[in-house]
Amino acid sequence: MIGSISLMSIWCGALPDKPGFKSRFPPSQLNVRTLFVYNILQGAYLGYIQVFWQPFLLTLGLSIAAIGTLETLTGRFGLLASLTQVFGGRLSDRTGRRKIVLLGSVLLISCWSTAALAFVLETKYLIYVAYPLWSLSAMATPVLDAVLADSVSPHDRSRIYGLIMLANVIPGALTGYATGILVGRLHPQFFLGLAALLESAGFIVIQSKLRNIRLPPEELAAEAEITSFKRLLRDFR
């Protein structure tokens, strides 16, 4: 958590402020900062979920074959999640990015809450509900990338993507290590409940700060020119 707080403190001074907006930061900068904090919160629990999720399920009585089937069909990288991402991306173009990101967060909160309840009640059947919720939450994955693309000019996009990835990876590495030490002392429902709480905090951040915006027309035109040039090079080859 100290590492996460340090990252947020560094980020608060990473971008200059611009006048002329009601909020402290311009909407584009506010979106980047919001996603930075959201990735810290999400990375903090995904770091240990990725490592201990399947061992947790084994203690609940699910077989390796059952877990493999669930992962293939409804896991985070399963078939349903892949289809959901296509649907979420297209829907966000019509309804706006913010609604889809919030919906994805709600589904994740429901997923981890359901999984925690499964361990409290010691029933594996609720896991069959948690898995599809996890898959459906994947609709927000491409939309989060689209928010960054909407908020950052093309020449600065690579740097911002790198910072967002850093915000996600470092907290996960710390909490994954800490969970390895504590997993023998605390029950799985504690870690899953903590995941639900961290995602709830992320939902509050997104709901209060994220904005639907587009790049200024001149930057959109510049990006269109770059895309056209790349197509011309590809056709020439």
Side-chain angles (χ1 to χ4, degrees):
M1 292 304 293
I2 294 176
S4 300
I5 294 172
S6 299
L7 280 172
M8 285 189 281
S9 299
I10 293 171
W11 183 250
C12 285
L15 293 174
D17 295 345
K18 296 180 181 179
F21 292 89
K22 292 182 180 179
S23 61
R24 180 182 174 186
F25 306 113
S28 59
Q29 291 186 16
L30 185 62
N31 276 358
V32 173
R33 294 167 192 266
T34 299
L35 292 182
F36 188 84
V37 174
Y38 180 65
N39 272 269
I40 289 176
L41 294 169
Q42 199 172 72
Y45 74 78
L46 286 179
Y48 64 78
I49 290 290
Q50 292 172 353
V51 177
F52 294 102
W53 173 245
Q54 293 185 14
F56 285 166
L57 297 185
L58 290 174
T59 65
L60 201 57
L62 274 79
S63 66
I64 294 178
I67 295 173
T69 301
L70 288 169
E71 288 286 343
T72 300
L73 297 178
T74 60
R76 186 185 180 197
F77 303 106
L79 179 61
L80 180 58
S82 300
L83 297 174
T84 301
Q85 289 185 54
V86 175
F87 172 76
R90 295 192 64 177
L91 188 61
S92 73
D93 290 334
R94 299 181 179 180
T95 64
R97 317 294 192 202
R98 185 171 176 273
K99 290 180 180 179
I100 305 302
V101 174
L102 287 172
L103 178 58
S105 184
V106 169
L107 289 167
L108 280 173
I109 295 169
S110 302
C111 168
W112 306 130
S113 299
T114 302
L117 185 60
F119 283 92
V120 171
L121 300 178
E122 298 183 351
T123 174
K124 62 183 180 182
Y125 297 107
L126 285 176
I127 297 299
Y128 299 137
V129 178
Y131 257 105
L133 290 171
W134 197 1
S135 286
L136 292 173
S137 72
M139 71 172 63
T141 301
V143 182
L144 288 168
D145 290 338
V147 171
L148 279 181
D150 291 344
S151 305
V152 181
S153 59
H155 72 274
D156 205 30
R157 201 166 287 163
S158 298
R159 181 180 70 89
I160 298 300
Y161 270 103
L163 286 170
I164 295 297
M165 288 295 296
L166 183 69
N168 191 271
V169 170
I170 290 182
L174 297 175
T175 57
Y177 175 77
T179 303
I181 298 174
L182 298 173
V183 71
R185 306 175 188 174
L186 300 171
H187 296 291
Q189 52 263 40
F190 170 81
F191 297 103
L192 294 168
L194 179 61
L197 287 176
L198 288 170
E199 185 61 42
S200 297
F203 174 87
I204 293 172
V205 170
I206 293 292
Q207 196 277 332
S208 60
K209 298 297 182 180
L210 194 69
R211 300 290 182 264
N212 283 319
I213 66 169
R214 294 287 185 178
L215 286 173
E218 61 274 12
E219 295 187 0
L220 286 173
E223 186 168 13
E225 289 179 4
I226 293 172
T227 303
S228 299
F229 182 68
K230 288 181 178 178
R231 288 177 179 172
L232 180 63
L233 287 178
R234 184 185 60 194
D235 294 340
F236 180 74
R237 291 175 185 174

